[in-house]
Amino acid sequence: MTEHDYLLAWSAYGIAALGCLLVWFRLTGWMWRWLREPLRVLVAVLLLTPTIVDPAKDMFAPAVAITALDILFKVGNNAWKATLDLTMYSIIAMAVYLVFAGIRWPIEKKVKAIRAEREAAQKAEEEPTLQDVARDRNPQADTRYDSNGDRRLRIEPRL
């Protein structure tokens, strides 16, 4: 296999792996967020992890493919090495994801609280005051000014 063939094979695999990853993202879109994201990380690691095939030439291949072919055809002993690579990269990726999620969680809680406060303030501004309600019922109501200079609506009780 020449260097050109090697790069062409990796390019084809990379495009196919990204296509599979896109399909996986669409399949897990309906799930609960805290389940969906770790599954996406694990599948990304599964599809994108390389393992060494020939140490003399520094040639790599997808770990999933090496594991599947070694188990299917019962040739070579690269399956264990590929499985260990997959496990190591999975642990690293999940640790990085957990750190990311741990940093993101308090920030999102704070943003959610600020958004709730804004919505509550906006809702309070939209509620009509007693003056607005009385004016709507009786547009000819007597309006006067109180000691502060604010308009005040005079409401007479019905007898």
Side-chain angles (χ1 to χ4, degrees), residues 72-147:
L72 185 65
F73 295 123
K74 296 181 175 75
V75 283
N77 58 355
N78 290 333
W80 286 109
K81 191 185 318 178
T83 305
L84 289 174
D85 285 344
L86 279 171
T87 305
M88 179 184 65
Y89 286 122
S90 297
I91 291 171
I92 292 169
M94 288 307 294
V96 168
Y97 169 72
L98 288 174
V99 167
F100 172 73
I103 292 170
R104 183 181 61 186
W105 188 33
I107 294 170
E108 286 180 348
K109 279 181 76 173
K110 192 169 194 168
V111 167
K112 194 175 186 179
I114 291 171
R115 191 174 297 144
E117 284 179 17
R118 280 190 195 151
E119 288 176 2
Q122 194 175 36
K123 187 177 179 183
E125 288 176 4
E126 292 174 359
E127 288 183 12
T129 62
L130 182 60
Q131 289 180 349
D132 295 336
V133 171
R135 232 181 257 129
D136 289 342
R137 287 189 187 158
N138 187 6
Q140 300 298 326
D142 184 19
T143 56
R144 298 186 181 179
Y145 294 95
D146 63 2
S147 60

Side-chain angles (χ1 to χ4, degrees), residues 24-25 28 31-46 90 93-94 97-98 101 104:
W24 182 251
F25 273 45
T28 59
M31 290 181 180
W32 180 52
R33 176 181 178 182
W34 298 103
L35 175 64
R36 173 182 64 222
E37 289 177 352
L39 286 175
R40 287 178 175 179
V41 168
L42 288 176
V43 169
V45 167
L46 189 70
S90 297
M94 288 307 294
Y97 169 72
L98 288 174
R104 183 181 61 186

